[in-house]
Each structure stands twice: as structure tokens, then as C-alpha cells.
Amino acid sequence: MYIAQELRKKNIAEYLLYMWQVEDTIRAFGCSLSRIKRDYIDRFHYTDEQIEEETDWYGNLIRMMNQEGCREQGHLQINKVTLQLLTELHQQLLASPKFPFYNTTYYKVLPFIVELRNRGAKKEENEIETCMNALYGVMMLRLQKKEITPNTQHAVKEITTFIGMLSDYYKKDKEEGLKFE
């Protein structure tokens, strides 16, 4: 919860990746709050109050996962909405002549998006979701200490730059408001 709160303020893409990881963590513990508390939350050096807040947070996420039917796979609605907000901002940035560097970065990363889609990414995914899934997949490979090919590393570097720029614009839009016209 504490990490999520900080990431949401600083970098929306990192927040979303973190929340996807939290969803997977909950699944790894069988959506059991008692297991998450005992085997996960209690490992951190939290105060009693923080433990209670963290346990409540995980409990709420588990309840939402159960209600929304994403115990086994998929994402919580709150995470889908965040992804949708990023997608909408992406579309606004592309449509505006005021963001030429964003457009340039997008067209630089577009071949990687096309390649990912041709390799089996879900066709109904939008481009931002494809990018986020690629970043999440590589993050999981790194956590598992699996090899990442040089081509994949290059693609992820470009995608990271692009998504980082989108996140920066998201933050700026939330703090100051972007002018698209």
C-alpha cells in the first residue's frame, strides 16, 4: 500500500506494473489474507498500525479480485481504469501537434509494438497495454533470473523510454494540465 501510494504520485506506469505484481502476489498466496499477512506482510518491519493498514489494503484487493472474477487471471477494474487513462492521454498526445518529441518516440517504438503483436500479444490489446505487458514480462523474467536476449533488451529500453515519457506527461497533466490545442 505504501509503495503503491508513492508510485502513484511519482510514476503512473511504475504504479501500474507494481499493482499487477501485487495481483500476482495475491494469487501466489491463493487469495488468502491470513497467508499474505503471515508469510508476506509480517516480513516487513512495520508498526502494528501499518500492519493493520496493509492487511486491510490486501483484504480489500482480495475482495475486489473475488467480486470482479480475477482470482486466476486478469486485472482489477481500478488497474484497467488506470491503463485506460494512460491510453486516452497517449491518443491525445498523438493527435496534438504540440508534442512532436512524443510522436517521434512513439514512431520509434512502433515497430517493437507491431513485432510483439505478431508474436502473440492479444490482438484486442491497445498499444499501451502491449507495451506495459512487455515491460511486466521482462520484469518477471528478471525476477526469475532468466536470460533476456539482446534484441529484447533493446526493445524494452525503447519501450521504457516511451512509457516513461507518457508517465511524465500523465503526471504533468494531473499537476498542471496539458494544453493539446
Side-chain angles (χ1 to χ4, degrees):
M1 176 181 85
Y2 300 109
I3 294 169
Q5 288 172 337
E6 282 304 305
L7 287 175
R8 188 163 182 91
K9 290 181 218 167
K10 291 181 183 175
N11 186 313
I12 196 68
E14 287 181 15
Y15 163 79
L16 192 55
L17 292 172
Y18 177 77
M19 289 303 296
W20 287 359
Q21 188 176 16
V22 167
E23 291 169 339
D24 282 345
T25 299
I26 290 169
R27 291 183 188 111
F29 285 101
C31 295
S32 167
L33 184 58
S34 60
R35 284 185 59 205
I36 290 170
K37 184 182 179 314
R38 180 186 69 235
D39 299 332
Y40 187 70
I41 295 172
D42 287 348
R43 293 187 339 197
F44 299 99
H45 301 290
Y46 289 141
T47 66
D48 289 344
E49 182 181 331
Q50 289 173 319
I51 289 172
E52 188 177 320
E53 289 175 353
E54 196 80 358
T55 302
D56 286 347
W57 186 68
Y58 273 95
N60 286 330
L61 291 174
I62 291 168
R63 182 182 46 75
M64 287 189 287
M65 288 174 76
N66 286 325
Q67 290 173 345
E68 295 175 21
C70 56
R71 276 181 68 100
E72 304 295 323
Q73 64 182 11
H75 298 298
L76 288 166
Q77 194 61 37
I78 56 172
N79 295 331
K80 290 178 183 178
V81 168
T82 301
L83 182 63
Q84 184 60 37
L85 292 172
L86 279 173
T87 300
E88 289 168 7
L89 177 60
H90 163 69
Q91 292 164 344
Q92 289 176 301
L93 290 166
L94 284 181
S96 173
K98 291 192 167 196
F99 303 95
F101 292 117
Y102 183 82
N103 272 273
T104 300
T105 305
Y106 165 71
Y107 284 108
K108 189 174 180 183
V109 84
L110 186 57
F112 300 116
I113 295 169
V114 170
E115 185 177 341
L116 286 166
R117 286 188 166 170
N118 288 338
R119 284 191 181 173
K122 297 175 192 142
K123 300 296 181 205
E124 67 274 6
E125 280 181 359
N126 65 58
E127 295 166 329
I128 302 305
E129 188 172 2
T130 298
C131 290
M132 295 299 293
N133 280 328
L135 294 177
Y136 188 74
V138 168
M139 185 176 84
M140 291 294 105
L141 290 173
R142 287 183 176 139
L143 287 172
Q144 297 166 17
K145 300 193 182 331
K146 292 188 177 176
E147 184 180 344
I148 300 162
T149 66
N151 286 346
T152 300
Q153 288 177 10
H154 175 68
V156 165
K157 182 179 180 221
E158 297 298 332
I159 291 169
T160 299
T161 300
F162 169 64
I163 292 296
M165 186 179 287
L166 178 59
S167 290
D168 290 345
Y169 279 124
Y170 180 90
K171 183 178 179 186
K172 185 172 183 170
D173 190 39
K174 291 296 171 212
E175 291 173 353
E176 305 167 20
L178 293 175
K179 294 182 179 31
F180 295 100
E181 300 281 329

